[in-house]
Amino acid sequence: MNKATTQRQHTPLDRMADNMTQFHPDTHWLAEYVSGSLPEAQALCIATHLEFCPQCRADINALTEIGASLFSATDDTTPLNPQVLDAVWQSITPDNNPPPAVAIQAESHPTSVPAYPDSFPRALRKLIPDGTSGLPWKNIGSRLSVAKLHRIDAERDVSLHRLQPGGVVSDHDHGGREITVVLSGSFSDQNGQYHPGDFLVREPGETHRPTASEDNECICLAVCDAPVKFTGLFSRLLNPLVALQHRH
Amino acid sequence: MPEKQQAVKDEWAPLLAKVAENQDRQAFTRLFAHFGPKIKAYGMSLNSMYTSVEMADELVQEVMIKVWEKARYFKPEKASASTWIFAIARNCRIDYLRKMKRIDSPLRVEDLWPVSEEPDPITTLNQSRNEQSIQSVVNTLPREQASILRAIYVEGKTHSEVASQNNLPLGTVKSRVRLAIEKLRTGLPNHE
């Protein structure tokens, strides 16, 4: 099963501590995240998953320590330009003191309380300053709506997908690789059932038919390399809409 | 802390504490002398058309200014000094590339790569000892694993870039990285 390579499962012991999140990014995702080479839109997916998953946070810490030891072991014989230290002194000199600790996130929008689903990830809040209800949702079929978010890297679309309770999305093939992170509710497809925090990768050419659970709407973060192509019954109807979604 | 006796001391952490508490310039100068050249080497290693000596010097400057300003956020129980500084250097390098590529984003690098968060109980371990054990295992890695790991972390290459530049299948690169990381992780005291 090909997909298994992109969906790492922790050991049963790990899962006891973390019984919600079952689908995790593979090691190579985490390594590129830690080393900083992962494109920002994909890094957003990892950062979002990490907020749900203590086990992957532990993995990230271990991977960061590995990075730090490689960093510490670098060949550091390159001479330092003595002016660099002078420049540092100059820029920290104004009042000689580190600035006082600033309360984290004294952000704008004090007037309204944005409506987020419970435990909405911090990494995403800045992209959705007015809450999920303030987004420009576009209906794609009767049960699925999509809201495009601000692009954060040149090659990928970032959007939220909202699937009504019991809603089914017709079979579709992703024209490019798509990462999905469940934010609230749950959905299932032929490979399993996905809950908040679950991290899924669909490679181009894989088709699937997600179905939301009956009791709640399901909201997911989706980051896609290229337009999604619908292969199901309504493909001719749906594709122009999707093309519209992906036009920039 | 019953394990204290066996722990290898993180000699840089107390210097960061002095910078945080007393704005101690002597402590800071020692940190600069130790980490400055490493940050510069890290900048020079970046696999990018934007890499240059000037960029590396600028990176040293920016990282060390952040070290001065953020020393009070450093939590020795969460990370060793070098792990913390590595994370800052990584973020500054991402930020530099972002500026070069004129990426317009409402997110700061720290929104996507948070550095000073509260420690998770599960990950609060003896960080400096970890680093020592990782270091000793790194030295025993087969050459090909060590060089790929360096390409990923220090040169900032993606797995695909490593694969194409070394004429290796992507799957081979991924599995070498995974193997190397597994070996390094088993060197960690609280692994399983």
Side-chain angles (χ1 to χ4, degrees):
Chain A
M1 196 167 87
N2 239 355
K3 282 140 213 140
T5 57
T6 55
Q7 285 156 26
R8 200 166 43 103
Q9 302 240 330
H10 285 298
T11 62
L13 190 73
D14 297 336
R15 254 179 271 144
M16 278 165 59
D18 170 30
N19 50 22
M20 286 275 272
T21 309
Q22 302 271 344
F23 294 86
H24 306 269
D26 196 1
T27 306
H28 72 270
W29 289 102
L30 299 183
E32 287 186 7
Y33 172 78
V34 167
S35 63
S37 59
L38 203 60
E40 305 214 356
Q42 297 182 342
L44 174 69
C45 296
I46 301 288
T48 302
H49 173 75
L50 291 178
E51 289 191 39
F52 290 94
C53 183
Q55 198 55 45
C56 284
R57 287 202 295 275
D59 289 351
I60 287 290
N61 284 356
L63 287 169
T64 308
E65 286 173 40
I66 291 171
S69 66
L70 293 165
F71 164 77
S72 296
T74 46
D75 173 23
D76 51 6
T77 49
T78 332
L80 266 191
N81 183 340
Q83 289 170 342
V84 175
L85 182 56
D86 295 341
V88 172
W89 286 133
Q90 261 175 25
S91 98
I92 61 185
T93 296
D95 57 1
N96 271 6
N97 291 320
V102 181
I104 308 153
Q105 302 264 321
E107 291 295 320
S108 52
H109 306 284
T111 45
S112 63
V113 181
Y116 296 112
D118 289 345
S119 70
F120 201 74
R122 268 169 295 155
L124 264 171
R125 286 179 189 239
K126 273 202 183 169
L127 286 180
I128 310 172
D130 303 316
T132 50
S133 54
L135 285 170
W137 291 101
K138 286 185 187 165
N139 293 329
I140 307 228
S142 57
R143 304 314 264 298
L144 172 70
S145 39
V146 173
K148 252 180 109 159
L149 308 184
H150 198 294
R151 253 185 192 221
I152 55 173
D153 75 56
E155 283 126 51
R156 278 154 208 94
D157 281 329
V158 181
S159 46
L160 292 193
H161 289 189
R162 187 171 64 190
L163 199 52
Q164 297 301 316
V168 181
V169 182
S170 71
D171 271 335
H172 61 283
D173 165 13
H174 295 271
R177 174 190 275 169
E178 185 181 63
I179 304 176
T180 303
V181 185
V182 182
L183 301 176
S184 66
S186 65
F187 79 92
S188 54
D189 66 11
Q190 67 270 30
N191 298 311
Q193 199 178 14
Y194 311 105
H195 298 281
D198 280 336
F199 180 100
L200 294 125
V201 181
R202 298 277 163 228
E203 298 296 340
E206 288 179 34
T207 61
H208 72 142
R209 197 162 185 272
T211 307
S213 60
E214 295 292 338
D215 43 346
N216 271 311
E217 69 171 15
C218 177
I219 298 183
C220 298
L221 167 67
V223 164
C224 192
D225 286 2
V228 180
K229 282 185 202 137
F230 279 81
T231 54
L233 261 180
F234 305 107
S235 59
R236 263 156 301 169
L237 275 174
L238 287 170
N239 265 333
L241 284 171
V242 172
L244 191 73
Q245 283 293 317
H246 285 274
R247 196 177 295 155
H248 208 63
Chain B
M1 267 202 283
E3 290 174 346
K4 197 157 59 183
Q5 278 72 25
Q6 302 140 306
V8 179
K9 272 181 93 180
D10 180 359
E11 56 181 311
W12 308 107
L15 296 177
L16 279 174
K18 286 183 178 176
V19 170
E21 286 156 25
N22 316 317
Q23 293 84 52
D24 185 327
R25 292 190 159 225
Q26 209 183 343
F28 184 78
T29 307
R30 284 183 60 201
L31 288 165
F32 189 94
H34 179 74
F35 287 104
K38 294 187 190 307
I39 300 164
K40 178 150 181 177
Y42 179 68
M44 292 295 290
S45 306
L46 177 64
N47 175 50
S48 159
M49 61 186 286
Y50 302 110
T51 304
S52 66
V53 180
E54 294 72 29
M55 166 269 197
D57 282 335
E58 205 179 299
L59 190 74
V60 175
Q61 186 178 330
E62 275 182 35
V63 173
M64 291 311 294
I65 290 170
K66 285 225 159 80
V67 167
W68 175 269
E69 289 173 347
K70 294 181 187 255
R72 65 181 62 205
Y73 296 107
F74 169 67
K75 303 244 171 18
E77 68 281 7
K78 155 104 189 201
S80 69
S82 63
T83 301
W84 186 70
I85 292 174
F86 163 70
I88 293 175
R90 186 239 0 240
N91 283 11
C92 287
R93 203 167 77 169
I94 295 170
D95 205 35
Y96 175 83
L97 277 182
R98 198 193 230 210
K99 281 179 199 146
M100 289 294 113
K101 293 179 181 167
R102 297 170 197 277
I103 294 177
D104 164 41
S105 169
L107 302 180
R108 292 170 308 143
V109 174
E110 282 73 23
D111 291 327
L112 296 174
W113 283 272
V115 172
S116 32
E117 275 191 312
E118 290 306 304
D120 292 311
I122 195 167
T123 59
T124 305
L125 4 128
N126 196 318
Q127 301 293 341
S128 50
R129 207 173 59 181
N130 284 355
E131 196 172 315
Q132 290 291 324
S133 23
I134 291 172
Q135 196 78 68
S136 61
V137 184
V138 166
N139 297 334
T140 67
L141 284 180
R143 205 197 178 99
E144 70 210 13
Q145 283 177 20
S147 83
I148 287 184
L149 213 53
R150 206 190 112 80
I152 297 280
Y153 272 112
V154 183
E155 295 164 29
K157 290 179 186 166
T158 62
H159 289 70
S160 309
E161 286 166 344
V162 173
S164 66
Q165 288 170 15
N166 296 286
N167 286 319
L168 288 169
L170 181 57
T172 305
V173 172
K174 285 182 182 170
S175 63
R176 282 188 190 166
V177 172
R178 194 179 302 121
L179 273 175
I181 286 172
E182 276 166 19
K183 264 186 226 164
L184 296 174
R185 288 206 69 176
T186 46
L188 296 184
N190 342 7
H191 182 78
E192 309 300 320

